[in-house]
Amino acid sequence: MPREITDLVHLRYLALSTIGSLYKFQFFKLKNLVTLIVTSWMEKCPLQLPCDILDLPQLRHLHVDKRCSQYLPCLVKKDLQTLYWLKVASSDENPNFGMVPNIRELGIFIEGQLAPSYLGSLVYLHQLEKLKFEVGRVEGFYLPTGFRPNLKKLTLRYTYLPWKEMDTISKLPRLEVLKLKDFAFCGPTWEPSKQGFRKLKALLISYSNLEHWNASSNHFPVLERLVLRYCWELKQIPTNFAKIGTLNLIVLECCYSSLVTSAMHISSAKSKTLKGKTDCPLRVRKVGTKVELPNNESFEEESVESSKKKLQAVHKYIHFSSPIQIGVHHSLLVD
């Protein structure tokens, strides 16, 4: 890494893709730095970063790999707006999110078993609009006891929550995008509460053992995009979704043909009701559809692992092409 970079004292934006240790890299010289992005271009070679990066006086946006997640600063950082990723471990004291009071986008990487109240100080983040949780080595995860009502985007990954916990998320009055990745929720049946998701526009479910989705158009009245990836147990999308006037896109990736047939029926039913109306037509996009279940269980396991590796490669490419998103992201197929 060229050490001359730290001589650029007026630098405001810096994006690095490297490997190895950056402990001796003198970030503190870059006093005018506003945006810092540091990633490793080799997954097996995680970066080693100094722990005082958040002390940069003008820093507003920080994006680092999960394996070199940062801890909350010791002093209040009122200017910080974006932080990916923040490490939270059960061996540490309860995090005080009041140290970053104006954060708008936050990714939290969790290690260890956390008590339900451990993340309680999230309620002090009055500006928070986009929140991500990813769980590393942990036996169980609990949703925070309270969310700020202004939250618009929520992503959960490897959290293994029961579907009944979704009732807590449905109470978020402004939630527009919900992404459930890699067994964020587990269990065969999801029956949303009567309240439903009043403002939700985009829903992604990726790698799930969901079998029965007992929902209606009333639960998702303004849904526009639905993406289902690797939902091999799910055979049918709720037929009542044909009544969602705003629904214009269903994406099915590596699902079974019965799910595709279900989506086509919904599209056809919606088309019949659109005559003379201004609602958008519904498009169905399918990728890697399977016709029948594989007979060999080992083959199925290998297919899952192979598919995960392909997705990781795609995500890595996207990450390098656009390593940080500060505004509102309009596509569920990225990130």
Side-chain angles (χ1 to χ4, degrees):
M1 180 62 60
R3 299 190 181 278
E4 292 79 9
I5 291 178
T6 57
D7 294 331
L8 304 175
V9 294
H10 298 292
L11 197 65
R12 294 174 58 85
Y13 179 99
L14 176 60
L16 300 174
S17 181
T18 183
I19 58 173
S21 174
L22 293 177
Y23 276 133
K24 296 182 179 180
F25 196 80
Q26 297 177 326
F27 285 103
F28 66 88
K29 289 185 177 182
L30 303 175
K31 297 185 182 299
N32 292 298
L33 200 62
V34 174
T35 300
L36 176 61
I37 304 165
V38 186
T39 60
S40 172
W41 52 268
M42 288 184 65
E43 186 177 351
K44 295 182 179 180
C45 298
L47 292 172
Q48 296 177 339
L49 298 175
C51 58
D52 59 351
I53 289 180
L54 287 175
D55 292 336
L56 290 170
Q58 303 297 326
L59 192 64
R60 294 186 181 181
H61 310 288
L62 176 65
H63 190 136
V64 297
D65 287 344
K66 299 182 190 74
R67 294 188 180 184
C68 53
S69 304
Q70 299 291 296
Y71 290 97
L72 284 171
C74 298
L75 300 176
V76 176
K77 296 288 294 182
K78 292 185 177 181
D79 292 332
L80 195 64
Q81 298 179 15
T82 306
L83 177 55
Y84 297 110
W85 288 79
L86 173 72
K87 179 177 286 187
V88 172
S90 58
S91 57
D92 302 326
E93 296 182 359
N94 287 25
N96 179 12
F97 290 102
M99 306 305 288
V100 287
N102 297 315
I103 203 83
R104 293 180 179 273
E105 298 188 20
L106 177 63
I108 300 177
F109 184 71
I110 298 171
E111 289 189 343
Q113 185 77 38
L114 304 182
S117 60
Y118 197 86
L119 299 174
S121 63
L122 280 171
V123 298
Y124 299 120
L125 300 181
H126 299 278
Q127 306 297 325
L128 188 64
E129 295 184 350
K130 184 175 181 180
L131 178 61
K132 296 183 180 183
F133 288 111
E134 183 166 333
V135 174
R137 299 187 299 272
V138 65
E139 296 179 358
F141 171 78
Y142 298 95
L143 284 173
T145 52
F147 284 108
R148 293 302 308 171
N150 47 295
L151 197 63
K152 293 183 178 180
K153 288 188 172 186
L154 178 63
T155 301
L156 300 170
R157 190 180 186 201
Y158 295 126
T159 49
Y160 297 95
L161 290 164
W163 286 106
K164 64 180 181 180
E165 293 295 322
M166 190 63 78
D167 293 347
T168 300
I169 296 176
S170 68
K171 295 177 182 178
L172 293 170
R174 299 179 184 175
L175 189 66
E176 296 181 358
V177 177
L178 178 59
K179 299 181 183 182
L180 310 176
K181 298 182 177 182
D182 297 299
F183 297 99
F185 282 79
C186 290
T189 304
W190 177 20
E191 187 166 350
S193 64
K194 292 182 180 180
Q195 177 176 325
F197 297 80
R198 312 315 299 173
K199 295 291 184 69
L200 196 67
K201 296 180 179 179
L203 174 63
L204 164 69
I205 303 177
S206 175
Y207 286 101
S208 170
N209 63 347
L210 180 64
E211 297 179 30
H212 308 288
W213 189 3
N214 302 327
S216 72
S217 58
N218 293 330
H219 292 118
F220 304 90
V222 297
L223 189 67
E224 297 177 3
R225 288 160 289 151
L226 172 64
V227 180
L228 301 175
R229 292 174 173 166
Y230 298 90
C231 296
W232 285 322
E233 305 297 329
L234 188 63
K235 302 300 189 296
Q236 185 178 20
I237 298 171
T239 56
N240 199 249
F241 277 22
K243 296 182 180 180
I244 303 178
T246 54
L247 187 61
N248 58 63
L249 177 63
I250 296 178
V251 178
L252 304 175
E253 183 174 341
C254 294
C255 299
Y256 286 109
S257 56
S258 58
L259 195 61
V260 176
T261 301
S262 171
M264 292 299 188
H265 286 164
I266 292 173
S267 178
S268 177
K270 186 180 179 184
S271 296
K272 293 178 181 179
T273 64
L274 282 180
K275 295 179 179 180
K277 297 184 179 181
T278 58
D279 292 336
C280 299
L282 174 59
R283 294 174 295 139
V284 177
R285 187 180 304 161
K286 57 182 187 283
V287 181
T289 305
K290 286 183 175 293
V291 177
E292 59 183 355
L293 289 169
N295 295 323
N296 190 328
E297 292 183 0
S298 62
F299 169 78
E300 182 174 356
E301 293 175 359
E302 290 174 2
S303 298
V304 171
E305 292 301 319
S306 175
S307 299
K308 279 192 174 184
K309 290 179 180 178
K310 291 180 180 179
L311 278 180
Q312 289 172 355
V314 173
H315 289 169
K316 183 181 293 184
Y317 170 79
I318 294 172
H319 182 68
F320 287 161
S321 300
S322 182
I324 190 169
Q325 297 295 334
I326 297 171
V328 177
H329 206 321
H330 292 286
S331 175
L332 268 176
L333 302 180
V334 180
D335 190 34

